[in-house]
Structure formats: C-alpha cells, structure tokens
Amino acid sequence: MIRNYLKIAFRNLWKNKTYLFINLIGLSVAFGVSILLFLSAYLLLTYDNFHEQNGAVYRVYHKVNSPQGEEYGNSMPLPMRGAMKAEYPEVKLAVRVMSGAAQIQKNDKLINQGIIFTDPDYLQVFGYKLLKGNPQTALNDLSSVILREDIAKNIFGEQDPIGKTLNISHGDKEVPYVVSGIIEKGPENTSIQNEMLVRIETAGEFADNKDRWDADQHALYVKLDDQTNPATFEKRLKAFTAKYYKSNIEQLKKEGAKADAQGDVMSTRIIGLSESHFDSRIGNQAISKVYPYTLLIVGVIILLIAAINFINLSIAKSFTRAKEVGMRKALGAFKGQIVGQFWGEAFLICIAAFGLGLFLSYALLPHYNAIFRSSLSLNLLQTPSLLLSIFVCFALVTLVAGGYPAWAVTRFNTVEVLKGKVKVSGSSGGIRNTLIIFQFTMSVLLIACTLIVWTQINYLRSKPLGFNTTQVYSIPIGHEVSGKRLLKHFRNRLANQPRILSMTGSDVNLGRGLDGSFSKSVLGFEQNGKSLKTNMRTADYDYTKTLDLKLLQGREFSEAYATDTAYSVIINEAMAKQLGVKNPLGVILNTEEKHKVIGVVQDFHFESLHRQIEAVSFFMNGFSINYIFVKIAPDHVDETIALLKKTYAELAPKSEFQGSFLDENINKQYQREERLSKIFFSAATLAIILSCLGLFAIAIMVISQRTKEIGVRKVLGASVFSITALLSADFLKMVGVAILIASPIAWWIMDKWLTDFAYRTSIEWWVFVVTALLAVGIAIVTISFQAIKAALTNPTSSLRSE
C-alpha cells in the first residue's frame, strides 16, 4: 500500500510540474536563507556563554546617580580586586582584564598583536583551555606569556614554543617574556580576547596606580561560590562602596544628587558576562538584543511566506483532484488515508526543499559572511539545541503547510464531487485571501524598514561632524618608533611638500581605522565644589588647524609658548558649559597637574552619532602619540598617499602601514547599521519574490476558473483593459489592505530603533508612499501578465473549452 501511495504521489507531483517547481524553489530558498539567519541569531544570543560552562561569570560595574542623570562605569581601579577578595569570602575568583596593543619581533618584521594584562585566575574564570603548559602555574611568573595557538604557530611554526623567549614591545618599552603556555583560540562570539596573556603587574601604568581608587583602568570579573545569590551579593556591596568611595558619595550629595530606588547615590553592581554584551551602558561592544531577534523574526517571516505559498497552491490544486478524492471515498477510503496521501506528497516536497535549502545555505555561506562581515560556519548545526530548533521549525512547516490542505480535501462532499459540482468554498477563499494579505503585509513591512534604515544611514554619513573628514589621512604609529619621535621625523621629512598642508598627532583615532583600535579616557576632578568629568585626549601642535576645528576663543598649542607642553589645555564648548564661567580662558583646572585653559573649540562629534557630544579636553602631556593626522591637498591624492607610505616605511621599516581617511574611519562606526540595512534589503527582496511567486500561481488558478466569464464578457464587447482591471482588482484590494496594516507597524518598530541614536532622522511620509507604490507596482506586474493573457484569448476558444 505504501508503495502504491508513493507511486501516486510522484505521479501527481510530476503531473503538476509548475506548482511543484514553484513550491520547491520557494521552500528551498526560504529554508536556506532562514538557516543562515537562525545561525547568525544563535551566534549573537549565545555571546560569551562559552565562558559560563563551569559557573556564572559576573562583570563588576558602577552606577552613579549624578545631578545630570544616571551614569555607568565599567572600568575599575587596580586595588579593587584585592579588597573584594579579602572582604567577601563568597568571591571564589576575581580577575582583572586590561587590553592593549603590542608588537612582536619576527625576523626583520614587527607583528602588531593584541595583548591582555591580567591575573593568574584568568584560566579558571574564563572557558579557554590550555593546550600546552600547566593551567595552575602558567601565569605565576611576571615574565611569563601565554600565546594563542594561531599566534604561536605564526611565530614559531612547527617548533615547540614552550620555554622560548619572546621580545614583546608594549607602551614605550620592550620586555623579554618566556612562553609558558599555549591557549586555544575559542569561538568567535566572545568579548574576552586571548591573543597574548601577561601579568597585569607588567603594564606600564601599574606601579603608579596600584593603590589608587580614583584611576579606573580595567574590567573586573568575578566568580561567586555556588551558594551565593547574585542579587544578595550585590546588596552586600553597598558597604563596600560606602567604605572605598566615601568622598565620591559626599561630593555627589553636595552637588544635589538624589538616591535611586535602592537608596544609593553611587553603587557597585554586578551583571552576568553574557548579559553585559546586550547592555550598552556596560559592555564596550554591546549590541541591542533587537538585532538578533530581528534576524530570527526575518527568518520566520521568510519561512511563513514560503509556507503560505505552499498552503495556497496546495488548496488550489486540491480542487482539480476533487474527483479523485470523491472516488476514493466512494470506494471506502478512510479520512486518515486521504489525509495521509496528501500530507505524504507535501512531506516529499518539504524534505526535498529542506535538502536543497541546506545545500543552498552551504553555497551562500562565503558570500553571506563577506556581505554581513560575520564568521558563520555550518558546524554550528552540530549544536544539539540548535539542531533541535531547526528540526522543530521544519516539522511545523511540514505539518501546517501540508496538513491543512490535506485536511481541507477530506471535507469535500462525495456526491457533489462525483457530479462535478465542487467549487471553492467561501471559507477557503477567505483563508486564501487572508494568507495573501499576510504575505504582502510582511513584504511591505520589510520594504518600509529598509527605506527607514537607509535614510538613517544616509543621515549619519551626511551630517556635518564639525571637523574635516575628507582631506585628513590617519596613520596608526605602531610600536617600532615612539609616537612623538615619528611625528617629528614626519614633519622634518615632509616640511617642504606643497601637498602636505598640515600635520598633528593624537593618542586616539577619530572613528575606527584599519587597526580596529578604539579607546576612551575620562578624567574626573573637582572644580569650585563641583565634580566634573571630561574626555581626555592628547593633541599635538596644529591639531585644530589640521582637523579644521573652529576656534571660538583663545589660541591653539604653539611652539612659541614653552609651557603649552606641560600646563595648557584646550577645551570644547560642552566642557566650557560645565565650568560655568562666561569666559573660560585662563581658568586653572584642578587636575593632578594644574592646567590653564588657553582655547575653546566649537563642539564637534569626536564619537559616533549614537552619543550626545560630551565634554572633551586636549592636553599635550596626556597619553603617548599613537596616531598621526595629515591634512593633504585635494589634488594628486594617490601620489600624496604613496609619499606617506614611503616615508613611513623608511622610518618604521618593520611595521605595517595602516593609513586611512577619516571619512572611511567614520563610516566604520556604523557597520552594525549597514549590516541591518543589508539584511532588511535582502529579506524584503526575497519576501517580495516569494510573495509574487505565490500570487502569480494563485492568479493562474483563479483566472483559469473564470475562463467562461472572460469569454462571455469579450463577446458582449468588454475591452482588454476592462477585463484586465476586473481580474486584477481583487488582488490589488488585498495589497492595499496589507499596506494599511504594515505602515503603522513599520513606523512604530523603526521609531523604537531610532531611539538608539542621539542624532536621528525623522520618519518621513514619503517613505510609506514609496513603499505603497513599490508594493502595488510589483503586484500589478505579477498579476497583469496572466490577466492580459486571459483577456487576449479568443472568446470562441474560451467558450468551447468550457
């Protein structure tokens, strides 16, 4: 019997090849794309879960209720680890993590590499395995270094690196380290990097700050014993904050800060490591949970649209097999057997489409990774939880898409079917129309979201930032030559070049350069009884001139004033407002070394447009120079950059040149938004194609059922246009309903998304007009082809066929 059912199933599928191929194409593309989207979402939602397989890991942070509002700090002072372990026995392990940049000597080249300054507890807190070496003692010695497996292979090849000496440059010094361990690379979805691990005591700033509670430099992670409740432990930290931050709390109260619901003006808190990745107040590279959930929702929408096509086409085709169903019933077939026959055919299509979808996801994976800058691998499908989720999705699609049409055919009246009177019931037509409206609602929603994301990205790129981004070239210095020395040599070598307009240096890049580095330093101090905070940046001579910053008051740093290198500061308008004086020139800032304000520059966006412009102060004696900014003439740009490369190669021959224009750096700040835009655009395109495939097939089916009506209308003098309009009207009404439903939903969703930006575009009315025109235009093109074809048919042929 099963063999007979299979034979009938294959025969019927092959007989209706058009519908078979439409279903196969739609479902296989939906399965393939959805697998990639689900894998991406899984990778994001399980971020840092890798480290919590042996117990939860918590990140320590501060919450401050300042008079200006809530503020959060994720950097901690160096003595906090020791104090917390000493006063709280429930803290099993605690580890400080401070990131930096370093260079390793390999033959005649210097390799740029990330370095982590940390504590011996690192290997017990985080989930990485030590492939070589003793995990209990690998970081006990201050001269020890643990290398990641790929870095060790790059440096030592196939040799055993354990016990070998490695000269590593970080800060302004070169230090010999002995390789004591090789650590695994680990997964991509982690915020805890492990390129090179050394003891935090070897960091350049450690000796000066090891006992200071006012110098926040690193992240602090703790593991609690199994019996401790995190919420209870967090409450116990209230006494800890009161003890070590007494002066901070008193100062905040003087300024009018109010306690929060827990009665704290300032509190020390903890958050789960994986949870911190989704909290932008705490995580340095945090993303909103909206992003992975958007991927999931888009994947589900694409699957639903393909499944709806399958349901509609299956129901439509079931009426052409009504006599077969009636005959089976008359010969004694049970309802379950008929359902099994039709559902079995649906299952064959689904299983074939799923196999094609897997192949498609494999084929598209390299392009997907390139377009969305991800590192997906189909090896993730071996994860039991993910495998189960995908299997459940497949089972649901198969059950609903195949089961409902199979159930619908069993409701045919046997007598009417055999008399040839069966027709589409009102309920079936209603379900079909509802499903078509749902398809186009999703498509319109995705089109509208795509346009709004695109307008926001365009706004971010085009908004004036207050400094020159197109003519300024940024060059990371590296560690081969000190920053000030390299900048001096650059100035001497290029002083007479007419296309080099000016040059300066800074500790921090603007935007994200090719080196990927990003840092932020905040200086806190008291001024006239108020606590002030300012971003602290190093700036060399000609900083305002090179970046075309507008100097509102005073002057910039000048070699004519010897004291500028040690005691002068330039501030922006936001910092001047904090000082609360009409003329800030000459004001002495009560920092560790007193600094005199010599200039005020107009506010400019030195951070991304996600954030409001904050106070910033520029010092010449701040941190080391890490970047050279060169303002170049707009003509012969390629030749000028070649000259900069040549000069850099002569001065730092072992280092890699990683120069880029500031506008390129600025655009890299919005890679997440660009990825979201690409996802929406790709999903909207795919949703429209799948919806149109289904609409096209349904139009064929509906129009074929009205062949006689069309013939009669033509005989009575109806024009091709009127017949086409008549056949298209019902479908266009459904698209219109979809537009009315989708537009307010799209506005609400994107308005919530835009709240993530301090500077945002408004959602314009034309977005929804363009969306509606696109949806209607696409629907007309899809339907009219078949409608015009039917209207042009000779009426004698139509009537004869009936």
Side-chain angles (χ1 to χ4, degrees):
M1 184 178 285
I2 293 175
R3 183 182 176 186
N4 183 52
Y5 281 163
L6 287 172
K7 189 185 292 184
I8 294 170
F10 282 118
R11 186 183 298 158
N12 280 313
L13 291 173
W14 190 248
K15 183 181 177 182
N16 300 288
K17 290 187 283 290
T18 302
Y19 300 98
L20 171 64
F21 289 134
I22 287 176
N23 281 327
L24 271 179
I25 291 169
L27 282 174
S28 59
V29 169
F31 278 130
V33 171
S34 296
I35 285 170
L36 293 177
L37 292 173
F38 291 161
L39 287 178
S40 297
Y42 175 82
L43 210 63
L44 292 170
L45 290 171
T46 57
Y47 216 90
D48 282 327
N49 283 8
F50 166 75
H51 299 294
E52 299 188 326
Q53 46 196 324
N54 295 319
V57 180
Y58 299 95
R59 182 167 187 173
V60 181
Y61 70 98
H62 283 138
K63 177 177 179 285
V64 178
N65 276 22
S66 71
Q68 292 76 37
E70 291 182 354
E71 296 176 2
Y72 294 83
N74 58 13
S75 293
M76 299 296 120
L78 286 169
M80 180 180 274
R81 172 182 179 261
M84 194 171 279
K85 287 188 76 173
E87 298 187 24
Y88 295 94
E90 56 264 54
V91 177
K92 284 170 51 182
L93 299 166
V95 60
R96 296 167 289 190
V97 175
M98 183 163 61
S99 302
Q103 286 187 319
I104 305 170
Q105 179 85 36
K106 183 188 178 185
N107 300 326
D108 60 341
K109 284 282 185 182
L110 281 175
I111 303 171
N112 292 321
Q113 207 65 65
I115 189 169
I116 298 294
F117 300 95
T118 188
D119 296 296
D121 288 349
Y122 183 94
L123 295 168
Q124 283 74 49
V125 170
F126 301 114
Y128 294 115
K129 293 178 182 175
L130 207 62
L131 304 177
K132 287 186 178 180
N134 187 334
Q136 304 300 323
T137 60
L139 275 180
N140 283 357
D141 199 314
L142 294 182
S143 63
S144 295
V145 60
I146 296 175
L147 298 179
R148 198 172 67 195
E149 53 183 322
D150 56 318
I151 296 168
K153 189 171 184 179
N154 182 33
I155 297 170
F156 296 103
E158 298 304 321
Q159 299 178 41
D160 184 358
I162 299 297
K164 289 189 167 54
T165 301
L166 202 59
N167 289 324
I168 301 175
S169 301
H170 56 81
D172 294 323
K173 59 184 179 180
E174 184 177 287
V175 182
Y177 288 93
V178 177
V179 179
S180 60
I182 305 299
I183 197 170
E184 68 174 338
K185 188 174 181 182
E188 297 289 339
N189 58 338
T190 176
S191 56
I192 307 297
Q193 301 303 319
N194 64 337
E195 294 171 88
M196 294 191 298
L197 306 178
V198 297
R199 287 287 291 272
I200 197 168
E201 290 86 347
T202 64
E205 306 88 352
F206 185 86
D208 294 332
N209 299 321
K210 63 180 181 178
D211 297 318
R212 289 182 56 184
W213 285 83
D214 60 344
D216 298 336
Q217 293 184 302
H218 62 80
L220 179 62
Y221 301 91
V222 297
K223 263 193 174 182
L224 308 177
D225 61 39
D226 298 335
Q227 289 74 39
T228 301
N229 181 284
T232 304
F233 175 71
E234 196 174 70
K235 288 177 182 176
R236 280 172 42 74
L237 288 174
K238 188 168 186 173
F240 183 87
T241 310
K243 178 178 178 180
Y244 292 101
Y245 291 93
K246 183 178 179 181
S247 60
N248 302 65
I249 294 170
E250 288 174 352
Q251 183 61 35
L252 284 166
K253 287 180 178 178
K254 282 181 186 177
E255 295 171 12
K258 295 181 180 179
D260 59 17
Q262 284 75 39
D264 297 320
V265 170
M266 179 179 183
S267 56
T268 305
R269 302 189 175 191
I270 59 172
I271 185 172
L273 175 58
S274 55
E275 189 183 344
S276 68
H277 181 66
F278 298 105
D279 194 328
S280 59
R281 302 169 303 178
I282 297 152
N284 289 331
Q285 297 177 333
I287 64 165
S288 170
K289 270 196 176 179
V290 170
Y291 187 67
Y293 285 129
T294 299
L295 296 178
L296 284 175
I297 291 168
V298 168
V300 169
I301 287 172
I302 290 170
L303 269 180
L304 281 174
I305 289 173
I308 287 168
N309 280 349
F310 193 10
I311 291 170
N312 275 340
L313 292 178
S314 297
I315 291 174
K317 282 308 296 175
S318 67
F319 294 103
T320 66
R321 296 175 64 184
K323 286 187 178 180
E324 175 194 338
V325 175
M327 186 62 70
R328 284 175 177 272
K329 283 187 171 185
L331 294 174
F334 296 111
K335 184 182 287 188
Q337 291 174 312
I338 297 172
V339 170
Q341 175 71 54
F342 280 78
W343 186 82
E345 291 175 15
F347 178 77
L348 289 174
I349 294 174
C350 286
I351 199 72
F354 187 72
L356 288 171
L358 275 174
F359 175 77
L360 187 65
S361 63
Y362 175 78
L364 290 175
L365 189 61
H367 305 287
Y368 181 90
N369 283 336
I371 292 171
F372 300 117
R373 293 175 184 169
S374 60
S375 52
L376 281 186
S377 168
L378 290 185
N379 291 334
L380 282 171
L381 290 173
Q382 298 173 11
T383 309
S385 58
L386 188 59
L387 197 61
L388 179 63
S389 300
I390 291 175
F391 174 77
V392 168
C393 274
F394 168 75
L396 284 173
V397 170
T398 307
L399 187 64
V400 175
Y404 176 76
W407 172 78
V409 298
T410 63
R411 301 176 65 195
F412 292 161
N413 185 290
T414 306
V415 176
E416 288 188 352
V417 164
L418 294 176
K419 286 181 179 179
K421 294 182 179 179
V422 67
K423 60 180 180 178
V424 178
S425 68
S427 62
S428 295
I431 290 170
R432 181 198 68 201
N433 294 346
T434 301
L435 294 176
I436 290 173
I437 289 170
F438 178 82
Q439 280 184 313
F440 272 88
T441 298
M442 295 299 102
S443 301
V444 169
L445 181 65
L446 290 170
I447 292 171
C449 290
T450 302
L451 289 175
I452 293 169
V453 171
W454 178 81
T455 56
Q456 175 64 10
I457 291 173
N458 189 53
Y459 172 82
L460 295 174
R461 287 176 171 170
S462 59
K463 181 176 172 60
L465 301 178
F467 63 95
N468 191 333
T469 62
T470 55
Q471 286 180 260
V472 181
Y473 201 69
S474 167
I475 305 171
I477 287 172
H479 296 277
E480 185 178 352
V481 183
S482 73
K484 285 191 178 292
R485 184 180 166 196
L486 190 67
L487 177 59
K488 183 179 179 181
H489 286 316
F490 253 78
R491 280 183 169 134
N492 292 338
R493 293 280 188 98
L494 303 173
N496 297 320
Q497 293 293 331
R499 292 197 294 273
I500 305 296
L501 305 180
S502 64
M503 192 181 304
T504 189
S506 180
D507 63 320
V508 179
N509 208 347
L510 288 166
R512 291 289 182 97
L514 294 178
D515 61 343
S517 178
F518 171 79
S519 64
K520 179 175 180 173
S521 299
V522 178
L523 175 67
F525 60 96
E526 289 188 19
Q527 185 89 7
N528 298 328
K530 293 195 300 182
S531 290
L532 301 184
K533 279 189 177 181
T534 178
N535 286 271
M536 180 180 179
R537 295 206 169 188
T538 298
D540 205 81
Y541 301 119
D542 295 332
Y543 190 85
T544 60
K545 177 184 176 182
T546 303
L547 292 174
D548 287 339
L549 299 180
K550 188 174 181 180
L551 200 62
L552 300 177
Q553 291 177 271
R555 61 177 178 84
E556 71 170 334
F557 299 124
S558 170
E559 291 181 86
Y561 297 86
T563 56
D564 278 2
T565 57
Y567 302 112
S568 296
V569 61
I570 297 173
I571 62 175
N572 70 343
E573 289 177 279
M575 181 59 187
K577 286 177 185 176
Q578 275 200 94
L579 291 174
V581 294
K582 288 184 178 179
N583 183 8
L585 295 181
V587 171
I588 305 297
L589 301 186
N590 294 325
T591 52
E592 231 175 273
E593 295 176 355
K594 307 295 183 182
H595 286 84
K596 180 181 178 181
V597 177
I598 63 166
V600 180
V601 295
Q602 189 177 61
D603 282 343
F604 67 101
H605 295 277
F606 58 92
E607 293 183 299
S608 80
L609 295 174
H610 289 92
R611 301 178 65 89
Q612 292 280 356
I613 294 176
E614 298 176 348
V616 62
S617 303
F618 298 97
F619 304 84
M620 287 197 72
N621 65 333
F623 302 104
S624 59
I625 299 286
N626 298 321
Y627 296 90
I628 294 175
F629 297 143
V630 185
K631 184 180 178 183
I632 63 177
D635 58 324
H636 306 289
V637 172
D638 291 340
E639 293 175 22
T640 308
I641 292 174
L643 176 63
L644 293 174
K645 285 182 179 178
K646 181 183 176 184
T647 307
Y648 185 86
E650 291 171 354
L651 297 172
K654 299 176 182 178
S655 300
E656 180 185 2
F657 183 82
Q658 295 182 303
S660 58
F661 280 101
L662 288 188
D663 57 352
E664 297 170 333
N665 296 357
I666 298 302
N667 286 338
K668 283 183 181 178
Q669 294 180 134
Y670 309 114
Q671 288 179 350
R672 188 173 65 197
E673 287 70 32
E674 287 185 358
R675 283 198 295 269
L676 189 64
S677 173
K678 289 175 182 176
I679 287 169
F680 274 136
F681 177 76
S682 304
T685 304
L686 186 56
I688 283 290
I689 291 171
L690 291 176
S691 298
C692 289
L693 270 176
L695 191 61
F696 181 75
I698 292 297
I700 293 174
M701 187 66 64
V702 171
I703 290 169
S704 68
Q705 292 173 352
R706 300 177 70 176
T707 305
K708 186 174 181 180
E709 177 192 341
I710 294 167
V712 171
R713 286 180 180 275
K714 287 203 72 175
V715 168
L716 294 176
S719 66
V720 171
F721 176 79
S722 65
I723 292 173
T724 303
L726 176 70
L727 295 173
S728 304
D730 289 341
F731 292 107
L732 292 179
K733 285 176 187 175
M734 289 185 275
V735 174
V737 172
I739 292 167
L740 291 175
I741 294 171
S743 296
I745 297 173
W747 182 90
W748 182 80
I749 291 171
M750 298 316 293
D751 186 62
K752 293 292 182 186
W753 177 70
L754 286 169
T755 57
D756 192 38
F757 298 87
Y759 303 90
R760 50 171 281 183
T761 185
S762 56
I763 301 177
E764 301 287 350
W765 59 268
W766 63 262
V767 169
F768 301 103
V769 173
V770 170
T771 301
L773 291 174
L774 278 172
V776 171
I778 291 166
I780 288 174
V781 170
T782 304
I783 301 160
S784 60
F785 173 79
Q786 193 63 28
I788 292 170
K789 182 181 175 183
L792 290 172
T793 303
N794 191 319
T796 56
S797 301
S798 302
L799 294 172
R800 187 186 303 118
S801 68
E802 289 294 311

